[in-house]
Amino acid sequence: MRAADISDQLSTVLVTEEEIQRKLAELAARVDADYAGKDLLLVGVLKGAVMVMADFARSLQSDITMDWMAVSSYGAGTKSSGVVQIRKDLDTDLHGKHVLIVEDIIDSGLTLSWLLENFASRGAESIEVLALLRKPEAAKVKIDCKYVGFDIPNEFVVGYGLDYAERYRNLRDVAVLAPHVYA
Ligand code: IMP
Ligand code: MG
């Protein structure tokens, strides 16, 4: 669905599907160049990164491998708890691998800082981060994110994989959820 289909539940559209696809193609060209001649493992963080992973991975011209990790830090609310729990671990041994973590959004940064530390201890050769969205004003810890799609204001957004209580993940655009939906 598009933002127009549920406009009564949204307050502002921040990034359209077309802008997302253009940005992912740009990022993919950079990643193709940066990892030329290297084996790259993309690690998607479930469930929010599913859409980014699907479109970004297919925008690449190189052959990569993919794995998934599920962590939870939010529960059903709209604020980061800082408590990270592994719900599904990787199937891949990271030893000697070039890892690119694919994320939907960097909010407080707490989830990623935890993941980065966790991955570093598993012996990866290199670890970088790609995030479609970032909320600079919400940062509680600094994350070195090499590939960022869009910096957005510090508001709760949904769409393109991002949910509110598991809803709106299938919205093609990224939009600010209208306060009346969760108030
Ligand atoms: P962080 O640990 O605060 O950086 O955020 C961790 C996770 O919270 C992200 O990967 C998202 O899945 C989720 N999240 C953060 N901000 C939002 C938002 O605005 N809408 C929906 N989910 C969000
Ligand atoms: Mg989430």
Side-chain angles (χ1 to χ4, degrees):
M1 65 190 173
R2 295 298 305 253
D5 298 321
I6 53 162
S7 55
D8 58 317
Q9 295 162 64
L10 306 173
S11 49
T12 327
V13 178
L14 292 184
V15 197
T16 65
E17 174 180 30
E18 293 75 14
E19 290 167 331
I20 293 170
Q21 295 306 330
R22 242 186 320 220
K23 183 64 76 176
L24 289 180
E26 244 175 72
L27 294 176
R30 280 177 56 199
V31 169
D32 273 326
D34 292 351
Y35 290 90
K38 292 179 182 157
D39 284 331
L40 177 60
L41 171 68
L42 301 181
V43 172
V45 184
L46 293 170
K47 305 169 208 171
V50 164
M51 309 297 176
V52 192
M53 179 69 114
D55 288 333
F56 168 73
R58 288 179 297 173
S59 299
L60 290 169
Q61 288 178 350
S62 10
D63 171 40
I64 52 84
T65 53
M66 243 183 244
D67 201 349
W68 300 91
M69 178 126 178
V71 298
S72 68
S73 59
Y74 256 60
T78 62
K79 287 266 154 29
S80 193
S81 67
V83 180
V84 178
Q85 201 189 1
I86 296 187
R87 301 195 164 207
K88 184 225 168 280
D89 206 349
L90 299 172
D91 298 322
T92 315
D93 178 1
L94 294 189
H95 239 99
K97 294 268 161 54
H98 293 284
V99 178
L100 179 58
I101 301 177
V102 176
E103 258 286 32
D104 49 0
I105 190 165
I106 304 178
D107 185 14
S108 68
L110 292 169
T111 308
L112 264 174
S113 88
W114 186 90
L115 267 182
L116 284 167
E117 225 168 276
N118 183 280
F119 283 13
S121 72
R122 304 193 202 191
E125 168 92 26
S126 72
I127 310 174
E128 296 291 350
V129 177
L130 178 149
L132 178 70
L133 306 168
R134 182 172 63 183
K135 296 181 192 169
E137 294 151 44
K140 292 202 179 117
V141 285
K142 202 193 160 303
I143 298 292
D144 211 353
C145 182
K146 189 161 181 187
Y147 309 98
V148 183
F150 304 91
D151 280 324
I152 61 169
N154 191 8
E155 288 182 275
F156 194 77
V157 295
V158 294
Y160 203 71
L162 290 152
D163 71 303
Y164 170 64
E166 297 304 326
R167 294 171 59 199
Y168 307 107
R169 292 192 196 274
N170 64 321
L171 172 62
R172 289 177 175 272
D173 314 281
V174 172
V176 178
L177 191 58
H180 74 80
V181 177
Y182 56 86

